[in-house]
Amino acid sequence: MKDPRTVLLRPLMTEKSMQQKDDLNAVTFRVAPDANKIEIRQAVEKIFNVKVAAVKTQAREGKWKRMGRFEGRRPRWKKAVVSLAPGHKIELVEGA
């Protein structure tokens, strides 16, 4: 098993992810591109000491960016939406 800190890179705190956190009890993370759903589930359960109900993943393509006449691509990345079991909760921001 991989180290949980290398699987979960950082939480994604956008308007949509905060809405999902309140409505669906789901937390969104940026994860390692080679991580699978089982590794993501185990990492969240180990780090935050919660029960995970489901994991959904998306592989995101890097955007094209320009600098003057030169064009390049941002790196690919992967995000995971982790649904928690009823009664479990993750506080990402202290005092919120």
Side-chain angles (χ1 to χ4, degrees):
M1 184 178 127
K2 294 182 183 178
D3 180 37
R5 300 284 178 187
T6 60
V7 174
L8 299 180
L9 302 179
R10 65 183 177 92
L12 290 178
M13 301 175 93
T14 61
E15 265 186 69
K16 183 176 181 179
S17 67
M18 291 294 115
Q19 190 69 34
Q20 286 178 339
K21 184 174 181 272
D22 294 336
D23 296 343
L24 306 174
N25 198 22
V27 184
T28 307
F29 293 98
R30 184 170 181 167
V31 297
D34 60 341
N36 60 31
K37 292 182 180 186
I38 297 168
E39 293 170 341
I40 295 167
R41 174 189 298 264
Q42 291 172 349
V44 171
E45 287 179 348
K46 187 171 184 180
I47 292 173
F48 296 104
N49 197 23
V50 294
K51 181 71 176 154
V52 174
V55 178
K56 297 177 185 177
T57 59
Q58 288 183 1
R60 308 297 293 172
E61 195 66 34
K63 294 181 180 180
W64 285 100
K65 294 292 180 179
R66 291 177 53 101
M67 173 100 35
R69 65 182 181 159
F70 301 104
E71 196 171 72
R73 203 179 248 285
R74 293 265 174 96
R76 297 176 179 168
W77 59 287
K78 188 174 192 176
K79 77 175 180 179
V81 179
V82 178
S83 299
L84 302 176
H88 292 273
K89 192 173 182 181
I90 294 177
E91 284 299 325
L92 297 176
V93 180
E94 295 296 324

